[in-house]
Amino acid sequence: MAKIENGKLTLKIASYNLAGGNYDKDFSGIAKDIIDCGADIVGLQEVDMFADRSGNIDQLDILAKKAGFEYKLFVKAINIKGGEYGTSIISKYPIVESKILPLKSFEGGPRKIEDRSIGITVIDVLGQKINFLNTHLAFEFDDA
């Protein structure tokens, strides 16, 4: 849990790739991992929202509830299989501001990598506002 000692804020952050929920369909294992690491704020990657391929569920809401996180933000990157796909931020502390910055994929090479995005938040942690950003990038190159 975050704390302030001698005027310094200490908190634990984590990053977790859900792989679209493909290996933990009910998110119990992922929630346990997040709880066990003691994170206050988590950047999530490969989050499906109501996509056919993942059973048309709200993965973010399910995971946030199971892991005990009240505050959350979904950051759409693309439409996928009847739903949306992107990243998310979950926090034990209030997200007081948020913005989504779309990132366009490089289009000059032989294959197009999917578009991405960055979730930009301001989170109020024990009265101190911090910036927390989350994304999921891909390696792209032009081999033409």
Side-chain angles (χ1 to χ4, degrees), residues 56-81:
N56 299 302
I57 61 172
D58 181 337
Q59 291 184 338
L60 175 58
D61 190 58
I62 293 167
L63 179 58
K65 284 179 180 169
K66 284 190 176 197
F69 285 73
E70 181 176 352
Y71 305 97
K72 60 189 186 261
L73 173 71
F74 177 70
V75 181
K76 178 184 170 182
I78 61 171
N79 292 321
I80 192 164
K81 307 210 182 236

Side-chain angles (χ1 to χ4, degrees), residues 102-131:
L103 301 173
K104 286 294 178 193
S105 178
F106 176 73
E107 296 185 24
R111 67 185 191 113
K112 171 144 174 42
I113 305 298
E114 67 199 29
D115 290 338
R116 304 293 173 128
S117 57
I118 299 174
I120 303 167
T121 60
V122 177
I123 301 175
D124 185 336
V125 181
L126 304 175
Q128 294 192 28
K129 292 193 170 107
I130 65 156
N131 295 309

Side-chain angles (χ1 to χ4, degrees), residues 32-51:
K32 183 180 182 322
D33 289 345
I34 291 170
I35 291 166
D36 289 351
C37 83
D40 297 299
I41 302 168
V42 183
L44 303 168
Q45 299 83 41
E46 296 190 28
V47 180
D48 279 5
M49 294 292 283
F50 306 107

